[in-house]
Amino acid sequence: MASSLALKRLVSSNILPSSLRVVRPIVTAPSTSRVSNTNAAHGDVFVPLSPTRSPSQVVNFRDQFMKNPFLSASRDMATLAKADVKESNEGETGERKNILRPLSPHLPVYKPHLHSTLSITNRISGAFLTSVLVFSYLLSLKMGSVCLTYSSFYQFFFYSAKLFLVTASVSALALSYHTYYGIRHLLMDLLKMGVPKVK
Amino acid sequence: MPRVSLSTVAPASRLVVVRPYSGEAEAQKVEPKAAASTNMKTFQIYRWNPDNPTKPQLQDYKIDLKECGPMVLDALIKIKNEIDPSLTFRRSCREGICGSCAMNINGCNGLACLTKIESGSSETTITPLPHMFVIKDLVVDMTNFYNQYKSIEPWLKRKNPPPTAGKEIPQSKKDRAKLDGMYECILCACCSTSCPSYWWNPESYLGPAALLHANRWISDSRDEYTKERLDAVNDEYKLYRCHTILNCARACPKGLNPGQQIQHIKQLQLTG
């Protein structure tokens, strides 16, 4: 997620106040209650200098925040845009309205397909295996010293010992899937096996 | 149409075509409309207005499929003509060659003029191309996409003049066949906007469409800047954000396979 790292660097510089978090409005169908998790994962950071935003848009956005330091961080982007409209309407008629455009829905809307599901399962299994590895390292190497100091910690591990078997079988599943997918990827890349026909 | 039974007609007139209009009154009678049986379908369409910016909404429209063409674009035009003229979308050729009407229909990217309306009473959801800034309703900002296409320099570059001066650069049929599957791209952006990798890195990752065109110029036998083109793309972000998710091949309305072309570029990078 290099873009979010770049954004965090930008935010920490003095262009925008660091507490600024802009929530992008996502389409919400009345019947579904799905919320886009990508914004949460991404960090709800405003993209100040993306090529789709003109410099005047950025400047106006910044100026507005400089003018109004009491603007709360959790303010909805829609209301912010409304404020833009109000200001420009009362001001000069020739001034361009600076509206913040929404991002079209992606994860909540897009239909999952076979290959995309296989790919994301590979990533999830890899992340799961890494976390199991780190946790088991912490557990096995640090348990002794921690347990001697905190007895409730020892009690917790005694009662959750049954989880170890379950975790082991799930991680065996994850490991085998990850390995098969990795071998398939290697074959596709090195042996010119070719990408499978999708349609 | 009331039919005259043959038994009441004189034998000679059986050879003559009898038009069963019995009089002007009956001729003027309008045929009962097929409105007795209508085929209503609901379309949920993404709406957002920059002049009145609130949260984007999904608005419902009901239309009769019996009075509408088979494609989603026909339905959109019917809605714009008869129900809501403020619905905004791009369209041009209506035959799947210009790429203007690219949008997300029922969760898959495609061209509205080539996507048939699904029969059945289920709702059809139409949203703009995913993870793009929305200008209005179904119209998105394609500036970044076009800039990425420009950045791979999609024109013939040569160091030497053509072998016979003033004439075209000859290319064998076999070499021309290498370009099949790449030259047909209409830059509709269905593939790039279906790629999750492109969603999370839209500015640094070039996307399947630009990379397909990069491969088109890399594979062109007449082009002499192959090595420079490969080096320009050989970047952790520009090329290697592709993890063969293969949503691009699934989405392409022209049946192309950008994932395969990207794989070809990666193999060329390996072999130098």
Side-chain angles (χ1 to χ4, degrees), chain B residues 19-68:
Chain B
R19 293 213 178 275
Y21 290 133
S22 48
E24 196 170 310
E26 227 179 75
Q28 293 287 347
K29 196 168 29 170
V30 177
E31 255 189 37
K33 260 179 93 164
S37 63
T38 57
N39 191 2
M40 301 300 284
K41 192 162 175 83
T42 312
F43 285 84
Q44 281 188 328
I45 305 184
Y46 180 99
R47 303 298 310 272
W48 183 76
N49 193 348
D51 300 322
N52 184 19
T54 54
K55 261 172 78 172
Q57 307 285 336
L58 279 181
Q59 195 167 345
D60 282 351
Y61 298 98
K62 273 194 165 59
I63 63 164
D64 185 7
L65 290 186
K66 291 211 166 153
E67 297 184 351
C68 180

Side-chain angles (χ1 to χ4, degrees), chain A residues 2-17:
Chain A
S3 61
S4 58
L5 288 174
L7 292 171
K8 283 189 183 124
R9 255 185 276 132
L10 266 167
V11 169
S12 60
S13 68
N14 288 330
I15 298 177
L16 295 168

Side-chain angles (χ1 to χ4, degrees), chain A residues 1-3 24-29 38 42 47 50-53 76 78 81-82 85 97 99-107 109-111 113 115-116 119 123 181 185 188-190 192 195-196 198-199, chain B residues 46 48 50-51 53-58 104 106-109 127-135 141 144 194 199-201 203 237 243-247 249-253 257 259-260 263 267 270-271:
Chain A
M1 309 264 183
S3 61
R24 294 198 189 287
I26 314 141
V27 65
T28 49
T38 56
H42 234 240
V47 183
S50 80
T52 51
R53 295 197 187 278
D76 194 22
K82 257 197 199 144
V85 176
K97 286 186 199 162
I99 311 295
L100 296 178
R101 294 171 174 168
L103 210 60
S104 52
H106 37 95
L107 272 184
V109 160
Y110 209 85
K111 197 171 156 190
H113 300 307
H115 285 277
S116 55
S119 179
R123 189 163 272 225
Y181 195 89
H185 210 261
M188 278 192 341
D189 281 350
L190 294 178
K192 300 178 200 247
V195 151
V198 172
K199 271 195 173 171
Chain B
Y46 180 99
W48 183 76
D51 300 322
T54 54
K55 261 172 78 172
Q57 307 285 336
L58 279 181
N104 188 301
N106 278 333
C108 289
N109 284 356
T127 54
L129 289 175
H131 208 281
M132 302 282 267
F133 290 113
V134 176
I135 298 174
D141 190 350
N144 185 33
S194 68
W199 293 346
W200 315 141
N201 302 295
E203 285 126 33
Y237 278 101
H243 300 299
T244 51
I245 299 171
L246 290 179
N247 255 0
R250 187 72 176 72
C252 180
N257 195 339
Q260 194 173 51
Q263 194 70 2
Q267 280 158 6
L270 273 181
T271 57

Side-chain angles (χ1 to χ4, degrees), chain B residues 3-20:
Chain B
R3 284 199 182 281
V4 180
S5 68
L6 286 171
S7 56
T8 59
V9 174
S13 61
R14 270 192 220 136
L15 302 167
V16 176
V17 174
V18 177
R19 293 213 178 275

